[in-house]
Amino acid sequence: MAPVAGAGAVLAGAAAVALLSAVFVLYELPLDAVLQRAFSLHKAHSVKNMETTLQLVRNIIPPLTSKKHKGQDGRIGIVGGCQEYTGAPYFAAISALKVLLVLVSQGADLSHVFCTQEAAPVIKSYSPELIVHPVLDRPSAVPNVEEWLPRLHALVVGPGLGRDDTLLENVKGILEASKARDIPIVIDADGLWLVAQHPALIQGYRKAVLTPNHVEFSRLSEAVLRDPVDGSDHREAVRRLSQALGNVTVVQKGERDVISDGEQVLECAQEGSSRRCGGQGDLLSGALGVLVHWALHAGPEKTNGSSPLLLAAMGACSLVRQCSRQAFQKHGRSTTTTDMIAEVGPAFRILFET
Ligand SMILES: NC(=O)C1=CN([C@@H]2O[C@H](COP(=O)(O)OP(=O)(O)OC[C@H]3O[C@@H](n4cnc5c(N)ncnc54)[C@H](OP(=O)(O)O)[C@@H]3O)[C@@H](O)[C@H]2O)[C@@H](O)CC1
Ligand SMILES: Nc1ncnc2c1ncn2[C@@H]1O[C@H](COP(=O)(O)OP(=O)(O)OP(=O)(O)O)[C@@H](O)[C@H]1O
Ligand SMILES: [Mg+2]
């Protein structure tokens, strides 16, 4: 029996090592260095390996109790949605709602969309569960959104916003008002376009997370660092951008997601799928809005000295990639972002409730 048990232990060890190397790579260290960091050095402020990272992410998730009322675990606002783009703000808002619904039984009033008047009925028609405010192209847009800020726990700015100057001017005002209230802000898509034009908008705001794709990352880096991106070293490029922006957390999406707060650099290589359908990034920004709120709300005893925003980013990236994997297993090449949304609940359970 002993050799069988020994073989089992070896297999289990090999599986753990394979999993570690496949899923999270810290600083692209060789695996033995990662393991050494993970199990020997115990650096207080670094997220060490997959299991500890996922455990810390699990720690920030509020407990499920029947005593909760709706909105207690998060009410998220999405700023975006114009004549051309109605899908993106819907994807962000519904993914935030689905993540929140993992914890509460009632979904009303948890996910708000602030969009233009033309986009509002379209977005509303996708889902009766979203609260839609047709205010973004009004002269009173900033005070109209400001009225809601005391009730919102995080904002996601940019999905489907477009690049109309009047809208972008209003969004500048919304960003300033949100910062003044210390509200966490996830910035994606056209919100990143705005930040590339005016980096001072979020410079040094430690409750901001930027989620650029490949193109958006290059645009931002060139605007902020004023030199072309070094494509050979993604980790250093992301760290430099974050640092130049005053340690704003940056999540560069890609084959692996590279995440940095200007000090630490983490990578999420959770298995996803090779299917790239429009809207997956919007799903990430919506889910991240919720996780950022949870992580900041959890307090240092739950995050064990790790940056809450890095944990939130790692959690949201893992979740979206797991959704992509599960949807692809069912639908193959015909997978759409809507198929991924259906996987949010099951993927959340697999990753965070085990
Ligand atoms: N259903 C909806 O409503 C959706 C609406 N959306 C909304 O659309 C708006 C504009 O967003 P955006 O991403 O198209 O912006 P932008 O910077 O102009 O990039 C366009 C250029 O970049 C390229 N390109 C893109 N990604 C790349 C990559 N990874 N690697 C390499 N190249 C890449 C791309 O090349 P192409 O694929 O077209 O050949 C093109 O040239 C924004 O509001 C967003 O939220 C989306 O959220 C999707 C769902
Ligand atoms: N090559 C890849 N392999 C696996 N997963 C990827 C790959 N590229 C991106 N992803 C994942 O897809 C998600 C969205 O990233 P993507 O780069 O498609 O964003 P995006 O271009 O902003 O999407 P959107 O179409 O919503 O604007 C992220 O969670 C990322 O981890
Ligand atoms: Mg995008």
Side-chain angles (χ1 to χ4, degrees):
M1 289 307 285
V4 175
V10 168
L11 278 177
V17 169
L19 203 60
L20 269 171
S21 63
V23 180
F24 291 117
V25 180
L26 305 175
Y27 308 93
E28 208 183 40
L29 290 170
L31 181 61
D32 56 350
V34 173
L35 289 172
Q36 198 185 4
R37 269 179 190 275
F39 299 118
S40 309
L41 297 181
H42 297 293
K43 272 197 164 177
H45 294 287
S46 63
V47 180
K48 297 179 185 82
N49 60 45
M50 177 189 72
E51 251 321 302
T52 29
T53 306
L54 280 185
Q55 192 49 52
L56 289 172
V57 176
R58 288 179 198 123
N59 279 356
I60 65 168
I61 295 168
L64 190 58
T65 113
S66 56
K67 296 200 175 68
K68 286 190 177 151
H69 60 80
K70 66 182 184 181
Q72 195 175 328
D73 285 322
R75 197 178 270 110
I76 307 300
I78 312 295
V79 178
C82 60
Q83 188 184 27
E84 292 88 349
Y85 307 122
T86 54
Y90 162 76
F91 290 140
I94 202 76
S95 73
L97 180 64
K98 291 259 179 191
V99 172
L100 288 165
L101 284 176
V102 170
L103 295 185
V104 293
S105 54
Q106 195 181 6
D109 189 24
L110 299 179
S111 203
H112 291 246
V113 179
F114 300 92
C115 60
T116 65
Q117 297 188 56
E118 274 178 306
V122 183
I123 297 171
K124 190 79 192 155
S125 73
Y126 297 148
S127 166
E129 311 189 61
L130 304 179
I131 310 292
V132 183
H133 306 267
V135 298
L136 215 48
D137 48 351
R138 287 186 192 160
S140 58
V142 178
N144 286 163
V145 176
E146 226 171 346
E147 267 174 46
W148 283 91
L149 292 183
R151 304 189 64 205
L152 298 177
H153 299 99
L155 271 193
V156 178
V157 175
L161 175 62
R163 292 174 193 171
D164 175 87
D165 284 341
T166 311
L167 290 189
L168 294 181
E169 207 51 46
N170 288 340
V171 171
K172 274 192 200 171
I174 293 166
L175 285 173
E176 296 293 2
S178 306
K179 284 194 305 182
R181 288 189 163 271
D182 216 23
I183 294 176
I185 309 170
V186 175
I187 305 185
D188 187 32
D190 300 313
L192 296 171
W193 167 269
L194 179 63
V195 168
Q197 317 301 309
H198 307 280
L201 272 174
I202 49 99
Q203 179 76 35
Y205 188 57
R206 294 286 190 111
K207 289 192 176 177
V209 186
L210 312 185
T211 56
N213 64 20
H214 182 78
V215 172
E216 291 156 345
F217 183 83
S218 301
R219 190 185 292 133
L220 265 175
S221 289
E222 278 159 30
V224 173
L225 297 166
R226 305 205 174 277
D227 55 21
V229 176
D230 174 6
S232 67
D233 190 348
H234 290 302
R235 286 150 300 280
E236 181 54 13
V238 176
R239 197 195 61 74
R240 278 185 70 215
L241 177 61
S242 168
Q243 198 174 52
L245 285 168
N247 300 91
V248 161
T249 299
V250 176
V251 180
Q252 187 197 32
K253 300 172 288 191
E255 192 174 352
R256 289 175 174 186
D257 300 318
V258 183
I259 305 163
S260 180
D261 61 356
E263 289 167 13
Q264 295 181 60
V265 184
L266 307 179
E267 290 189 17
C268 177
Q270 176 84 19
E271 188 180 339
S273 83
S274 52
R275 176 85 176 102
R276 309 256 57 78
C277 43
Q280 293 185 27
D282 307 314
L283 218 63
L284 177 73
S285 63
L288 184 54
V290 178
L291 280 155
V292 161
H293 164 58
W294 287 350
L296 289 168
H297 194 67
E301 69 283 2
K302 295 281 174 73
T303 50
N304 198 23
S306 296
S307 150
L309 297 192
L310 290 187
L311 290 180
M314 197 63 114
C317 289
S318 303
L319 181 65
V320 170
R321 297 171 78 101
Q322 179 71 19
C323 288
S324 175
R325 179 184 180 186
Q326 290 177 196
F328 190 78
Q329 280 166 353
K330 290 184 187 165
H331 306 280
R333 283 167 184 265
S334 71
T335 300
T336 61
T337 302
T338 302
D339 299 321
M340 287 175 59
I341 289 163
E343 300 299 330
V344 169
F348 190 98
R349 278 193 291 281
I350 286 172
L351 287 174
F352 305 128
E353 291 179 359
T354 49

